[in-house]
Coordinates of all heavy atoms in Angstrom, one line a residue:
V316 N 75.0 -84.0 -30.9 CA 76.4 -83.8 -30.7 C 77.1 -84.1 -31.9 O 77.0 -85.2 -32.5 CB 76.9 -84.7 -29.5 CG1 78.4 -84.5 -29.3 CG2 76.1 -84.5 -28.2
E317 N 77.9 -83.1 -32.4 CA 78.7 -83.3 -33.6 C 79.9 -84.1 -33.3 O 80.4 -84.2 -32.2 CB 79.1 -82.0 -34.1 CG 77.9 -81.1 -34.6 CD 78.3 -79.8 -35.2 OE1 79.6 -79.5 -35.2 OE2 77.5 -79.0 -35.6
V318 N 80.4 -84.8 -34.3 CA 81.6 -85.6 -34.2 C 82.8 -84.6 -34.0 O 83.0 -83.6 -34.7 CB 81.9 -86.5 -35.4 CG1 83.1 -87.3 -35.3 CG2 80.7 -87.4 -35.7
P319 N 83.6 -84.9 -32.9 CA 84.8 -84.0 -32.7 C 85.7 -83.9 -34.0 O 85.8 -84.9 -34.8 CB 85.5 -84.6 -31.6 CG 84.5 -85.4 -30.8 CD 83.5 -85.9 -31.9
K320 N 86.3 -82.8 -34.2 CA 87.1 -82.5 -35.3 C 88.3 -83.5 -35.4 O 89.0 -83.7 -34.4 CB 87.6 -81.1 -35.3 CG 88.3 -80.7 -36.6 CD 88.7 -79.3 -36.6 CE 89.4 -78.9 -37.9 NZ 89.8 -77.4 -37.9
G321 N 88.4 -84.2 -36.5 CA 89.5 -85.1 -36.7 C 89.3 -86.5 -36.0 O 90.2 -87.3 -35.9
C322 N 88.0 -86.8 -35.6 CA 87.7 -88.0 -35.0 C 86.7 -88.9 -35.8 O 86.1 -89.8 -35.2 CB 87.1 -87.8 -33.6 SG 88.3 -87.0 -32.5
R323 N 86.4 -88.6 -37.0 CA 85.5 -89.4 -37.8 C 86.4 -90.4 -38.6 O 87.1 -90.0 -39.6 CB 84.7 -88.5 -38.8 CG 83.7 -89.2 -39.7 CD 83.0 -88.3 -40.6 NE 82.1 -87.4 -39.9 CZ 80.8 -87.8 -39.6 NH1 80.4 -89.0 -40.0 NH2 80.0 -86.9 -39.0
F324 N 86.3 -91.6 -38.2 CA 87.1 -92.7 -38.9 C 86.2 -93.8 -39.4 O 86.7 -94.8 -39.8 CB 88.1 -93.2 -37.9 CG 89.1 -92.2 -37.4 CD1 89.0 -91.6 -36.2 CD2 90.2 -91.9 -38.3 CE1 90.0 -90.7 -35.8 CE2 91.1 -91.0 -37.9 CZ 91.0 -90.4 -36.6
C325 N 84.9 -93.7 -39.4 CA 84.0 -94.8 -39.9 C 84.0 -94.7 -41.4 O 83.5 -93.8 -42.0 CB 82.7 -94.7 -39.2 SG 81.8 -93.1 -39.5
R326 N 84.5 -95.8 -42.0 CA 84.5 -95.8 -43.5 C 83.1 -96.3 -44.0 O 82.8 -96.0 -45.1 CB 85.6 -96.8 -44.0 CG 87.0 -96.3 -43.6 CD 88.1 -97.4 -44.0 NE 88.0 -98.5 -43.2 CZ 87.5 -99.7 -43.5 NH1 87.0 -99.9 -44.7 NH2 87.5 -100.7 -42.7
I327 N 82.4 -97.1 -43.1 CA 81.1 -97.5 -43.5 C 80.1 -96.8 -42.6 O 80.3 -96.7 -41.4 CB 81.0 -99.1 -43.3 CG1 82.1 -99.8 -44.1 CG2 79.6 -99.6 -43.6 CD1 82.1 -101.3 -43.9
P328 N 79.0 -96.3 -43.1 CA 78.0 -95.6 -42.3 C 77.5 -96.4 -41.1 O 77.1 -95.9 -40.1 CB 76.9 -95.2 -43.3 CG 77.5 -95.2 -44.6 CD 78.6 -96.3 -44.6
G329 N 77.3 -97.8 -41.3 CA 76.8 -98.6 -40.2 C 77.8 -98.7 -39.1 O 77.4 -99.1 -38.0
N330 N 79.1 -98.3 -39.2 CA 80.0 -98.4 -38.2 C 80.2 -97.1 -37.4 O 81.0 -97.0 -36.5 CB 81.4 -98.9 -38.7 CG 81.3 -100.3 -39.2 OD1 80.4 -101.0 -39.0 ND2 82.3 -100.6 -40.1
C331 N 79.5 -96.1 -37.8 CA 79.6 -94.8 -37.1 C 78.9 -94.9 -35.7 O 77.8 -95.4 -35.6 CB 78.9 -93.7 -37.9 SG 79.7 -93.3 -39.5
I332 N 79.6 -94.4 -34.7 CA 79.2 -94.6 -33.3 C 78.3 -93.4 -32.9 O 78.3 -92.3 -33.5 CB 80.4 -94.7 -32.4 CG1 81.2 -93.4 -32.4 CG2 81.2 -95.9 -32.8 CD1 82.4 -93.4 -31.4
T333 N 77.5 -93.6 -31.9 CA 76.7 -92.6 -31.2 C 77.6 -92.1 -30.0 O 77.8 -92.8 -29.0 CB 75.4 -93.1 -30.7 OG1 74.7 -93.7 -31.9 CG2 74.5 -92.0 -30.1
W334 N 78.0 -90.8 -30.1 CA 79.0 -90.3 -29.1 C 78.4 -90.1 -27.8 O 79.0 -90.3 -26.7 CB 79.5 -89.0 -29.6 CG 80.5 -89.1 -30.7 CD1 80.3 -89.1 -32.1 CD2 81.9 -89.4 -30.6 NE1 81.4 -89.3 -32.8 CE2 82.5 -89.5 -31.9 CE3 82.8 -89.6 -29.5 CZ2 83.8 -89.8 -32.1 CZ3 84.1 -89.8 -29.7 CH2 84.6 -89.9 -31.0
C335 N 77.1 -89.8 -27.7 CA 76.5 -89.7 -26.3 C 76.3 -91.0 -25.6 O 76.1 -90.9 -24.4 CB 75.1 -89.0 -26.5 SG 75.2 -87.2 -26.8
K336 N 76.4 -92.1 -26.3 CA 76.3 -93.4 -25.6 C 77.7 -94.1 -25.5 O 77.7 -95.3 -25.2 CB 75.3 -94.3 -26.3 CG 73.9 -93.8 -26.3 CD 72.9 -94.8 -26.9 CE 71.5 -94.3 -26.8 NZ 70.5 -95.3 -27.4
T337 N 78.7 -93.4 -25.7 CA 80.1 -93.9 -25.6 C 80.5 -93.8 -24.1 O 80.4 -92.8 -23.5 CB 81.0 -93.2 -26.5 OG1 80.6 -93.3 -27.9 CG2 82.4 -93.7 -26.4
Q338 N 81.0 -94.9 -23.6 CA 81.5 -95.0 -22.2 C 82.9 -95.5 -22.2 O 83.3 -96.4 -23.0 CB 80.6 -95.9 -21.4 CG 79.2 -95.4 -21.2 CD 78.3 -96.2 -20.3 OE1 78.9 -97.2 -19.7 NE2 77.1 -95.9 -20.2
L339 N 83.7 -95.0 -21.3 CA 85.1 -95.4 -21.1 C 85.3 -96.0 -19.7 O 84.7 -95.5 -18.7 CB 86.1 -94.2 -21.2 CG 86.0 -93.4 -22.5 CD1 87.0 -92.2 -22.5 CD2 86.2 -94.2 -23.7
F340 N 86.0 -97.1 -19.7 CA 86.2 -97.9 -18.4 C 87.7 -98.0 -18.2 O 88.4 -98.7 -19.0 CB 85.6 -99.3 -18.5 CG 84.1 -99.2 -18.8 CD1 83.7 -99.3 -20.1 CD2 83.2 -99.1 -17.8 CE1 82.3 -99.3 -20.4 CE2 81.8 -99.1 -18.1 CZ 81.4 -99.2 -19.4
D341 N 88.2 -97.3 -17.2 CA 89.6 -97.4 -16.8 C 89.7 -98.3 -15.6 O 89.5 -97.9 -14.5 CB 90.1 -96.0 -16.5 CG 91.7 -96.0 -16.3 OD1 92.3 -97.1 -16.4 OD2 92.2 -94.9 -16.1
L342 N 90.1 -99.6 -15.9 CA 90.2 -100.6 -14.8 C 91.4 -100.5 -14.0 O 91.5 -101.2 -13.0 CB 90.1 -102.0 -15.4 CG 88.8 -102.3 -16.3 CD1 88.8 -103.7 -16.8 CD2 87.5 -102.0 -15.5
T343 N 92.3 -99.6 -14.4 CA 93.5 -99.4 -13.5 C 93.2 -98.6 -12.3 O 93.9 -98.7 -11.3 CB 94.6 -98.6 -14.3 OG1 94.1 -97.4 -14.7 CG2 95.0 -99.5 -15.5
K344 N 92.1 -97.9 -12.3 CA 91.7 -97.1 -11.1 C 90.5 -97.9 -10.4 O 89.4 -97.5 -10.5 CB 91.2 -95.7 -11.5 CG 92.3 -94.9 -12.3 CD 91.7 -93.5 -12.7 CE 92.7 -92.8 -13.5 NZ 92.2 -91.4 -13.9
R345 N 90.9 -98.9 -9.8 CA 89.9 -99.8 -9.2 C 89.5 -99.1 -7.8 O 90.4 -98.6 -7.1 CB 90.4 -101.2 -9.0 CG 90.6 -101.9 -10.3 CD 91.1 -103.3 -10.0 NE 91.3 -104.1 -11.3 CZ 90.3 -104.8 -11.8 NH1 89.1 -104.9 -11.2 NH2 90.5 -105.5 -12.9
R346 N 88.3 -99.3 -7.5 CA 87.9 -98.8 -6.2 C 88.4 -99.7 -5.1 O 88.4 -100.9 -5.3 CB 86.3 -98.7 -6.1 CG 85.8 -97.7 -7.1 CD 84.3 -97.6 -6.9 NE 83.7 -96.6 -7.9 CZ 82.4 -96.4 -8.0 NH1 81.5 -97.1 -7.2 NH2 82.0 -95.5 -8.8
P347 N 88.8 -99.2 -3.9 CA 89.3 -100.1 -2.8 C 88.1 -100.9 -2.3 O 86.9 -100.5 -2.3 CB 89.8 -99.1 -1.8 CG 89.0 -97.8 -2.1 CD 88.8 -97.7 -3.6
A348 N 88.5 -102.1 -2.0 CA 87.4 -103.1 -1.5 C 86.9 -102.6 -0.1 O 87.7 -102.0 0.7 CB 88.0 -104.5 -1.4
P349 N 85.7 -102.8 0.2 CA 85.1 -102.4 1.5 C 85.8 -103.2 2.6 O 86.2 -104.3 2.4 CB 83.6 -102.6 1.4 CG 83.5 -103.7 0.3 CD 84.6 -103.4 -0.7
P350 N 85.9 -102.6 3.8 CA 86.6 -103.3 4.9 C 85.7 -104.5 5.3 O 84.5 -104.5 5.2 CB 86.7 -102.3 6.0 CG 85.6 -101.3 5.7 CD 85.5 -101.2 4.2
A351 N 86.4 -105.5 5.7 CA 85.7 -106.7 6.2 C 85.0 -106.5 7.5 O 85.4 -105.7 8.3 CB 86.7 -107.9 6.4
P352 N 83.8 -107.1 7.6 CA 83.1 -106.9 8.9 C 83.8 -107.4 10.1 O 84.5 -108.5 10.0 CB 81.7 -107.6 8.6 CG 82.1 -108.6 7.6 CD 83.1 -108.0 6.7
T353 N 83.7 -106.7 11.2 CA 84.3 -107.2 12.4 C 83.5 -108.3 13.0 O 82.2 -108.3 13.1 CB 84.4 -106.0 13.4 OG1 83.1 -105.5 13.7 CG2 85.3 -104.9 12.9
M354 N 84.2 -109.3 13.5 CA 83.5 -110.5 14.1 C 83.3 -110.3 15.6 O 84.3 -109.9 16.3 CB 84.4 -111.8 13.8 CG 84.6 -112.0 12.3 SD 83.1 -112.3 11.4 CE 82.6 -113.9 12.2
G355 N 82.1 -110.5 16.0 CA 81.8 -110.4 17.5 C 81.9 -111.7 18.2 O 82.4 -112.7 17.6
S356 N 81.5 -111.7 19.4 CA 81.6 -112.9 20.3 C 80.5 -113.8 20.0 O 80.6 -115.0 20.3 CB 81.6 -112.5 21.7 OG 80.3 -111.8 22.1
G357 N 79.4 -113.4 19.3 CA 78.3 -114.2 19.0 C 77.3 -114.3 20.1 O 76.3 -115.0 20.0
V358 N 77.5 -113.6 21.2 CA 76.5 -113.5 22.4 C 75.9 -112.2 22.4 O 76.6 -111.1 22.4 CB 77.2 -113.9 23.7 CG1 76.2 -113.9 24.8 CG2 77.9 -115.3 23.6
L359 N 74.6 -112.1 22.5 CA 73.9 -110.8 22.6 C 74.2 -110.1 23.9 O 74.3 -110.8 25.0 CB 72.4 -111.0 22.4 CG 71.9 -111.5 21.1 CD1 70.4 -111.7 21.1 CD2 72.3 -110.5 20.0
E360 N 74.2 -108.8 23.9 CA 74.5 -108.1 25.1 C 73.2 -108.1 26.0 O 72.1 -108.2 25.5 CB 74.9 -106.6 24.8 CG 76.2 -106.5 24.0 CD 76.5 -105.1 23.7 OE1 75.7 -104.2 24.1 OE2 77.6 -104.8 23.1
D361 N 73.5 -108.0 27.3 CA 72.4 -108.0 28.3 C 71.6 -106.7 28.1 O 72.1 -105.6 28.3 CB 72.9 -108.1 29.7 CG 71.8 -108.3 30.7 OD1 70.6 -108.5 30.2 OD2 72.0 -108.2 31.9
G362 N 70.3 -106.8 27.8 CA 69.4 -105.6 27.6 C 68.3 -105.5 28.7 O 67.4 -104.8 28.5
G363 N 68.4 -106.3 29.8 CA 67.4 -106.2 30.8 C 66.3 -107.2 30.6 O 66.3 -108.0 29.6
D364 N 65.3 -107.2 31.5 CA 64.2 -108.2 31.4 C 63.2 -107.8 30.3 O 63.1 -106.6 29.9 CB 63.4 -108.2 32.7 CG 64.3 -108.8 33.8 OD1 65.3 -109.5 33.5 OD2 64.0 -108.4 35.0
F365 N 62.6 -108.8 29.8 CA 61.6 -108.5 28.7 C 60.3 -107.9 29.3 O 59.8 -108.4 30.3 CB 61.2 -109.9 28.0 CG 60.2 -109.7 27.0 CD1 60.4 -109.1 25.8 CD2 58.9 -110.3 27.2 CE1 59.4 -109.0 24.9 CE2 57.9 -110.2 26.3 CZ 58.1 -109.5 25.1
S366 N 59.9 -106.8 28.7 CA 58.7 -106.1 29.1 C 57.6 -106.3 28.0 O 57.7 -105.6 27.0 CB 59.0 -104.7 29.4 OG 57.8 -104.0 29.8

Side-chain angles (χ1 to χ4, degrees):
V316 179
E317 297 182 357
V318 180
K320 186 177 181 180
C322 297
R323 180 183 290 274
F324 296 101
C325 55
R326 297 175 290 105
I327 301 176
N330 296 341
C331 294
I332 65 176
T333 302
W334 285 93
C335 282
K336 293 186 178 181
T337 301
Q338 297 183 6
L339 305 180
F340 303 92
D341 189 357
L342 302 183
T343 58
K344 302 177 182 179
R345 294 181 179 269
R346 296 181 180 180
T353 57
M354 302 298 294
S356 61
V358 180
L359 295 177
E360 298 179 359
D361 186 13
D364 297 335
F365 174 70
S366 179

